[in-house]
Amino acid sequence: MASVEFQNISKTFGAFVAVPDISFQIADGEFICLLGPSGCGKTTSLRMIAGLETPSSGRVMIGGRDVTYLHPKDRGISMVFQDYALYPHMNIADNIAYPLKVRGEQETRRHARAKEVADVLKIGDLMKRLPSQISGGQQQRTSLARALVYPSEVYLFDEPLSNLDAKLRLEARGFLNHLQRDMGMTAVYVTHDQAEAMALATRIAVMDKGRIVQFAPPIEIYRRPATTFVANFVGNPPMNLIAVEASIGEGALHLKADGLQLAPIALTDAIAKAATSGRMTLGVRPEHLRIAEPSDRNVVSGDLFANENMGPESLVTLERGDNGRVTARIFTDDEIRVGTSVHLAFDTRHVTLFDDSGARIPAADER
Amino acid sequence: MRKRTQNIFVRRTIFAAAATFLGTIFALPLVWFIFAPFNARAELGLAIPSPFTLSNFATVFQNTFAMQALLNSLIQAAGGVVLVGGAATLAAYALSRSPIPGKGAVTYILLLFSSVVSGSAAMVPIFLIISAAGLIDTHLAVILVFAGGLLPTAMFILRDFIDAIPRSYEESAMVAGASPLQAFFDVALPVIRPGIVVVVVWAFVNIWGSFLIPFILLRSDKLMPASVAIYSFYSEAGTPIVTLLAAYSLIYSLPVIALYLFVNWKFGFRFFGGIKS
Ligand SMILES: Nc1ncnc2c1ncn2[C@@H]1O[C@H](COP(=O)(O)OP(=O)(O)O)[C@@H](O)[C@H]1O
Ligand SMILES: [Mg+2]
């Protein structure tokens, strides 16, 4: 296992800048998720670690060694592809054993090793089949087995679960998590599914338009999203973002928006500075909203838009005229009954404020 | 309800009758082609041989020029196929996988020229080039000219085929430790094989049936292919000796049929198959 480092990496395709400038360090044993919407440069970044794409500038280091111009075969890496890339003319045993074959391992030994790995992944009895003769989930595990069959410095994953149905995806995710705890592998895992990233990563790099917007542990990303982009991308459903007018009066911050009733918020230097623009964004997670009672002071109101029962919880969504929707996630065994107009209350301790540019304003208890 | 089923029945009958009629028209020459060689008194009319005889074949087998010609055809076709198959595979792979700018234009321009090269308009320059190279009256001359004429189309077909194959096959092999050469031979080549087979059969049939190029580039009898030698079964007055011609034609077509059967049995004719799961 080894560390991975990007030093001022950029990548352009012709005139198109896919990655403007990225630097990061991944320590030995970390499981990193590159998370972001489609087309933000995740695969390109991963392929530069693998050596399948050469950076336009900058350096890639693996285990302290400069590998920027090294051929993929010499980097000591494993990779699982989104389309699995199983060789259609080889049976499962030969597919899994292929990395050992190119390493000059003799046939009986490499097949024995392939069988070992296949058994762990519960595909040991499919060894004689062709890839076209097994299911999608089994193909996925075959490609995983091929990546695990030989020792590797870094494991790379490009959306390995995105072609599975929901149930298999959960199962495979759990297995990957177990594997990470078991092996302590260094891994870079590309996904656009925030739940996958939250579940697997020791740290998440949230990417937008070829840049890393925030690089932090999952809890940090969830609790303190650096920007409205991150806030809106992480969480299911994501954080509610309400555009508000900000003003300062009587030593406190006053926020105004349609349907919003909010007690003044204590000032900090950061808040005071951000308020000068007159505009802010108020963020509140769905689980921090509840059905309001008459005594509540911080309330957002609107017309009922949807009331979805998910079993242990309900998603109640209200619509504030033309000013967007707010969703609450309410944990209860009882069916939620709401009228045509809904009032949702929240605690200002669980509110996140973003300034005019979308950057998070540090809370009072942060230095 | 009953009226409608009747209606359908009538329409089906008419369709079947028309199809049979058309089919028969097309089948007649083939039936002649199968019967005539075994008929000692074969003429251009269709007749069931009575008695069945192999005497036509006996006469043909005694014609050493014609027999040598079959071997020559085999040499020229095999040589051309190996050259076209090998070169087209490598060129198409490079054109498909490398980031050369303007590679699409290169293929199209070659394709355009190839129809000129194998056409009769280029026969004089081709003859001059081959003769300047001192290759007149050699197998090699025929093989090279055929390869030159067929390569662009072969490359075009194969490049299309390879373009449709995901790069992740070779990429996953290289990440797993394979050199580019290993990735090509272990992974890419087997996946491309159905495409190569199509090109090989196509090139073989093309060379096997071609008359003009060997006729112009060769002089001596002992190098002429079967497509030229078939004219030795014409009388001096230029009329065909139908019995012998029929027998020789049947022998002449057997290798092509055998190739089709072999390829179909061994690989199956698939153009885009076996790749997606
Ligand atoms: N080989 C290429 N040529 C041109 N543009 C490319 C190439 N590969 C990727 N891109 C572009 O770079 C951007 C990032 O692509 P990618 O890294 O695949 O995104 P992601 O994996 O995050 O969905 C996309 O806009 C894509 O169109
Ligand atoms: Mg991608």
Side-chain angles (χ1 to χ4, degrees), chain B residues 108-123:
Chain B
Y108 277 105
I109 290 169
L110 281 176
L111 197 64
L112 200 70
F113 276 113
S114 78
S115 49
V116 177
V117 169
S118 40
S120 38
M123 276 309 139

Side-chain angles (χ1 to χ4, degrees), chain B residues 106-142:
Chain B
V106 169
T107 333
Y108 277 105
I109 290 169
L110 281 176
L111 197 64
L112 200 70
F113 276 113
S114 78
S115 49
V116 177
V117 169
S118 40
S120 38
M123 276 309 139
V124 173
I126 284 179
F127 180 85
L128 293 178
I129 292 171
I130 293 293
S131 122
L135 289 175
I136 288 292
D137 203 27
T138 57
H139 284 312
L140 189 60
V142 179

Side-chain angles (χ1 to χ4, degrees), chain A residues 47 83 86-89 98 103, chain B residues 168-169 171-172 174 176 186 274:
Chain A
R47 288 169 62 83
D83 63 1
L86 299 179
Y87 315 131
H89 58 289
Y98 184 71
R103 282 170 175 69
Chain B
S168 55
Y169 285 139
E171 287 176 350
S172 76
M174 289 193 287
D186 291 349

Side-chain angles (χ1 to χ4, degrees), chain A residues 9-147:
Chain A
I9 289 289
S10 74
K11 178 69 185 175
T12 53
F13 295 106
F16 178 77
V17 183
V19 174
D21 180 8
I22 284 192
S23 298
F24 61 74
Q25 284 185 349
I26 301 171
D28 192 359
E30 275 197 289
F31 197 114
I32 299 300
C33 281
L34 301 183
L35 174 67
S38 178
C40 73
K42 308 180 297 288
T43 297
T44 305
S45 303
L46 193 75
R47 288 169 62 83
M48 288 193 281
I49 303 178
L52 298 170
E53 216 79 72
T54 312
S56 306
S57 69
R59 295 202 299 168
V60 182
M61 317 282 286
I62 295 180
R65 182 169 65 129
D66 186 345
V67 299
T68 315
Y69 300 105
L70 216 56
H71 191 270
K73 76 179 164 64
D74 301 318
R75 296 192 177 203
I77 48 169
S78 281
M79 184 161 171
V80 176
F81 290 73
Q82 182 170 8
D83 63 1
Y84 311 144
L86 299 179
Y87 315 131
H89 58 289
M90 294 186 197
N91 66 23
I92 302 309
D94 287 331
N95 260 287
I96 298 175
Y98 184 71
L100 302 175
K101 185 183 171 200
V102 295
R103 282 170 175 69
E105 194 82 74
Q106 76 191 58
E107 183 155 353
T108 47
R109 297 224 352 233
R110 63 175 192 256
H111 277 152
R113 171 75 187 132
K115 180 82 168 81
E116 256 173 55
V117 179
D119 281 338
V120 174
L121 287 159
K122 302 207 172 59
I123 45 173
D125 48 354
L126 303 173
M127 300 298 267
K128 288 283 166 286
R129 305 250 194 109
L130 289 174
S132 56
Q133 296 164 335
I134 61 177
S135 73
Q138 291 163 340
Q139 290 177 3
Q140 199 277 328
R141 275 177 279 163
T142 305
S143 75
L144 186 58
R146 188 174 60 189

